Amino acid sequence: MSDMDQPLLQVRNLGIDFRLEGGTVFEAVKNISFEVPRNSTVALVGESGSGKSVSAMAVMRLLPRESAIVSPASEILFEGTNLLKLSDEGIRGIRGKEISVIFQEPMSSLNPVFTVGDQIAEILSLHMDLSRKQAWRRAEELMHEVGIPDSALRIKSFPHELSGGQQQRVMIAIAIACNPKLLIADEPTTALDVTIQKQILDLLASLQERYRMSVLFITHDLAVVGEIADHVVVMQHGEIKEQATARRIFEAPQHPYTQALLSCRPNVDERPMRLPVIADFLGPDGAARIKREQRRRGYEGDDEIVLEVSHLSKHFRLKEGIFKSRDVAAVKDASFKLARGKTLGLVGESGSGKTTVGLTLMRLHESSGGEVLFDGVDLLKLSEQDFMKYKRRIQIVFQNPYASLNPRFTVGQILMEPMTIHKLAAGNRECIDMAMALLERVGLPEESFHKYPHEFSGGQRQRIAIARCLTMKPDVLICDESVSALDVSVQAQVLNLLQDLQDEYRMSYIFISHDLAVVKYISDQVMVMSDGDVIEVANSDDIYLNPQQEYTRKLLGSIPKGWQGEKPN
């Protein structure tokens, strides 16, 4: 076999354990083997905790030495060289030059005190032996190449001065600076809007073709995988459950876990009463047991309106230097109605104003104009004292449960605190009983009551956040990107929970999201926003079948469509 016929990367019998507190050992990766051919894209797919990112970090030799134990039988061959046998100096010569990585969160990877130009130029000076002037000139070319406008100006920007999509483009520029043979992309689009996600995926595809490099793409979203991958490796609990060509995986998945991942994500073409979850596919004939009954959605003429918003606006004053400032209109003249027991989806790109709408309704931002009628009362005109009794009836679930739950409180204290503040129970015993009932309602065991937030997964923390809101028995629940960071299977569980609660309590939701497939599944009506303006409002089926505005069509056209057949050569 010639060098060009040999796979670029061969992972053989990779086993990784982690030492935990108390001397216990956790088996994170269990003797897996896979290959990355030359000039191809291999997708490593699985839920959080499946071992996919740990495997990729092993390739880069970035695992923590004090806790990670790599099995002696493991081999990671890059162009025939075992990376695990290289000295520290040897792996540094490959890392960043021959093999590069793009991480999920660019703000955690970019140095906040250096300009983006300095950070791109640094790797060029380190690996390409360029002078500072040459490296700076090449950095500007790379920024232009990855699609950052006004690169000559932006090269002097600090990371916080760029949007999320631009920050990710800078990370890509750093990754391709030395023309690597292998690019590892670890969840590079998970937190991005659908339009920015599509731009990043298209950019990676064009760069791969131009530089003839291979890509190891790590994700939990099979809809994205279907658009970019040649080969797919499916992982669960540190094991490879299935690996094959993308065609085989999507057209004839063999393992129930693969079938489950494909089915858990909402599909814009259907709306089942309940989304299937991983457990539905386990056991004999699992997939055959799933019910395909469809749920009807939409506002009707006789719906009871619980919340009516008219001409809502919100302006922010931004400083520009010591003496200058300017007004920025985050929300401009927004009007909509929310029906009892129904869901209004708010969609748009980052900066469109959708989150500002939710925070202004909660009076977490002071409005600049308009009215919000709740039971005929304008919430924006109430005093703080008068608004207190309405706080119970309008609650919000934030995107990041890690940040919204007090790390020093147990789950029991988190749930009981609002009960105590609003005097919802006669005594401590009743508070405990109510908290236990809520934990059961959101599918968490009783022992969760005494645990702290850090002891739970992301999906479980989001359930705790929902349970905290339910302590108030709200009429309206605002969900601000509350499932966007979750694995597709956990996302399905949370969406099913929200739907169950709505069916049982006739709660009304304002569901804010950049994921249009999720919005289509859960929403009765959809409001599209752009730059603070309401672009379009209609029943969800009408929006998706017959969008009236070009901006809406652009958003819908950016939804990952999954497997569409073989990629053209």
Side-chain angles (χ1 to χ4, degrees):
M1 180 186 292
S2 70
D3 288 345
M4 294 308 295
D5 292 331
Q6 186 182 49
L8 181 67
L9 180 74
Q10 296 171 287
V11 175
R12 297 176 179 171
N13 304 315
L14 178 63
I16 303 171
D17 296 339
F18 284 96
R19 297 187 191 92
L20 304 180
E21 293 180 7
T24 58
V25 174
F26 172 68
E27 196 175 4
V29 177
K30 306 171 184 177
N31 297 319
I32 66 169
S33 299
F34 66 91
E35 297 178 347
V36 179
R38 295 176 185 275
N39 192 31
S40 69
T41 298
V42 175
L44 208 53
V45 181
E47 300 170 277
S48 294
S50 63
K52 56 188 189 297
S53 291
V54 172
S55 301
M57 291 306 99
V59 173
M60 294 292 290
R61 291 266 302 269
L62 291 176
L63 295 174
R65 293 186 178 184
E66 64 277 6
S67 60
I69 309 168
V70 179
S71 165
S74 302
E75 289 185 318
I76 300 177
L77 304 178
F78 179 72
E79 294 194 313
T81 299
N82 190 349
L83 301 181
L84 298 177
K85 301 295 185 184
L86 289 179
S87 64
D88 289 348
E89 184 178 355
I91 193 64
R92 280 197 296 268
I94 289 178
R95 188 192 295 145
K97 183 178 181 181
E98 303 285 337
I99 307 175
S100 290
V101 64
I102 306 167
F103 294 103
Q104 176 177 350
E105 178 46 65
M107 275 306 286
S108 299
S109 306
L110 294 172
N111 193 321
V113 300
F114 289 102
T115 67
V116 294
D118 284 327
Q119 295 182 63
I120 300 172
E122 179 185 27
I123 194 167
L124 289 165
S125 300
L126 183 65
H127 287 295
M128 307 297 284
D129 198 26
L130 300 181
S131 67
R132 174 171 172 77
K133 185 176 181 180
Q134 292 171 323
W136 193 264
R137 187 184 306 118
R138 178 58 183 150
E140 185 178 333
E141 292 173 356
L142 284 164
M143 288 187 67
H144 177 74
E145 198 168 330
V146 298
I148 296 178
D150 303 320
S151 55
L153 178 64
R154 288 296 189 182
I155 196 171
K156 301 174 184 176
S157 300
F158 290 91
H160 72 272
E161 297 177 296
L162 303 179
S163 68
Q166 289 173 332
Q167 291 167 5
Q168 198 60 286
R169 288 172 186 269
V170 170
M171 287 296 300
I172 294 172
I174 293 172
I176 67 168
C178 300
N179 191 10
K181 296 175 181 176
L182 175 63
L183 177 65
I184 299 174
D186 188 3
E187 301 271 13
T189 64
T190 296
L192 301 179
D193 297 330
V194 286
T195 52
I196 306 301
Q197 174 180 261
K198 181 170 176 55
Q199 292 170 19
I200 295 298
L201 293 176
D202 289 345
L203 172 62
L204 288 174
S206 66
L207 291 172
Q208 179 192 23
E209 184 177 353
R210 187 181 314 164
Y211 288 103
R212 309 295 292 175
M213 63 184 175
S214 297
V215 177
L216 181 60
F217 195 96
I218 301 167
T219 185
H220 63 258
D221 191 341
L222 276 163
V224 170
V225 169
E227 295 201 340
I228 64 167
D230 302 298
H231 307 270
V232 181
V233 180
V234 181
M235 292 188 66
Q236 183 190 30
H237 303 321
E239 298 177 318
I240 291 178
K241 297 299 184 183
E242 185 171 1
Q243 58 178 312
T245 63
R247 172 183 287 279
R248 226 287 308 280
I249 289 290
F250 283 89
E251 293 184 353
Q254 301 299 301
H255 198 278
Y257 182 68
T258 310
Q259 297 168 8
L261 286 180
L262 287 166
S263 299
C264 286
R265 180 173 170 79
N267 189 320
V268 293
D269 297 325
E270 59 179 8
R271 190 188 287 117
M273 292 293 288
R274 292 181 64 77
L275 289 169
V277 297
I278 298 294
D280 293 331
F281 288 81
L282 302 180
D285 301 322
R289 295 196 308 269
I290 296 172
K291 297 178 181 178
R292 295 297 180 184
E293 182 184 356
Q294 299 293 297
R295 182 183 292 274
R296 290 184 58 190
R297 290 284 192 192
Y299 278 24
E300 298 171 5
D302 58 350
D303 285 325
E304 177 190 353
I305 301 302
V306 65
L307 191 72
E308 185 170 357
V309 177
S310 301
H311 309 293
L312 183 69
S313 63
K314 174 59 186 173
H315 293 214
F316 290 99
R317 174 74 67 175
L318 297 183
K319 285 189 174 182
E320 293 184 334
I322 300 176
F323 302 109
K324 290 184 179 180
S325 63
R326 63 186 175 95
D327 250 3
V328 174
V331 178
K332 312 168 190 173
D333 199 35
S335 298
F336 58 89
K337 295 178 181 180
L338 179 64
R340 186 171 300 282
K342 298 292 179 74
T343 300
L344 173 70
L346 264 60
V347 301
E349 298 171 283
S350 294
S352 63
K354 56 188 188 296
T355 293
T356 304
V357 167
L359 296 178
T360 306
L361 294 179
M362 291 288 298
R363 287 184 45 167
L364 296 174
H365 286 325
E366 184 179 348
S367 72
S368 303
E371 65 178 12
V372 177
L373 296 180
F374 186 71
D375 282 352
V377 177
D378 187 355
L379 299 181
L380 302 182
K381 290 185 168 56
L382 294 176
S383 66
E384 280 296 326
Q385 184 176 357
D386 291 337
F387 182 61
M388 275 294 290
K389 65 180 180 182
Y390 289 97
K391 281 184 178 180
R392 289 177 48 182
R393 301 177 63 187
I394 304 180
Q395 291 289 301
I396 187 167
V397 181
F398 294 101
Q399 175 177 356
N400 186 356
Y402 298 81
S404 61
L405 298 175
N406 191 327
R408 292 187 174 87
F409 278 17
T410 64
V411 170
Q413 291 171 316
I414 288 170
L415 297 182
M416 292 167 61
E417 182 185 34
M419 300 178 197
T420 304
I421 292 172
H422 291 276
K423 299 179 174 61
L424 301 178
N428 192 60
R429 183 67 256 173
E430 188 176 349
C431 276
I432 293 174
D433 290 343
M434 290 171 62
M436 288 294 191
L438 284 169
L439 287 174
E440 182 181 1
R441 189 68 194 86
V442 299
L444 292 174
E446 282 189 7
E447 54 265 29
S448 303
F449 184 89
H450 301 287
K451 293 183 177 181
Y452 289 87
H454 73 269
E455 298 179 79
F456 296 89
S457 68
Q460 289 172 324
R461 293 185 208 192
Q462 203 60 285
R463 288 171 180 268
I464 295 167
I466 292 170
R468 179 176 57 183
C469 290
L470 293 179
T471 61
M472 316 300 290
K473 299 179 181 176
D475 296 293
V476 175
L477 187 62
I478 300 172
C479 300
D480 185 12
E481 300 279 12
S482 53
V483 299
S484 63
L486 304 179
D487 293 332
V488 287
S489 56
V490 179
Q491 181 186 84
Q493 295 171 16
V494 174
L495 289 173
N496 285 339
L497 170 62
L498 289 171
Q499 188 57 65
D500 290 344
L501 295 171
Q502 188 173 61
D503 291 341
E504 183 173 346
Y505 300 118
R506 292 201 70 212
M507 294 167 60
S508 302
Y509 296 149
I510 294 177
F511 196 89
I512 301 167
S513 180
H514 64 258
D515 189 329
L516 277 78
V518 170
V519 169
K520 168 71 167 13
Y521 169 74
I522 202 167
S523 299
D524 295 280
Q525 193 173 67
V526 176
M527 184 169 86
V528 183
M529 296 190 68
S530 175
D531 294 327
D533 290 311
V534 175
I535 301 298
E536 191 169 353
V537 184
N539 281 349
S540 58
D541 287 339
D542 296 333
I543 283 275
Y544 283 77
L545 291 174
N546 187 28
Q548 299 299 303
Q549 303 298 322
E550 180 59 33
Y551 179 77
T552 309
R553 289 192 283 270
K554 173 188 170 187
L555 286 179
L556 294 174
S558 300
I559 300 175
K561 296 177 177 59
W563 175 249
Q564 301 291 305
E566 298 286 356
K567 294 188 293 183
N569 293 324

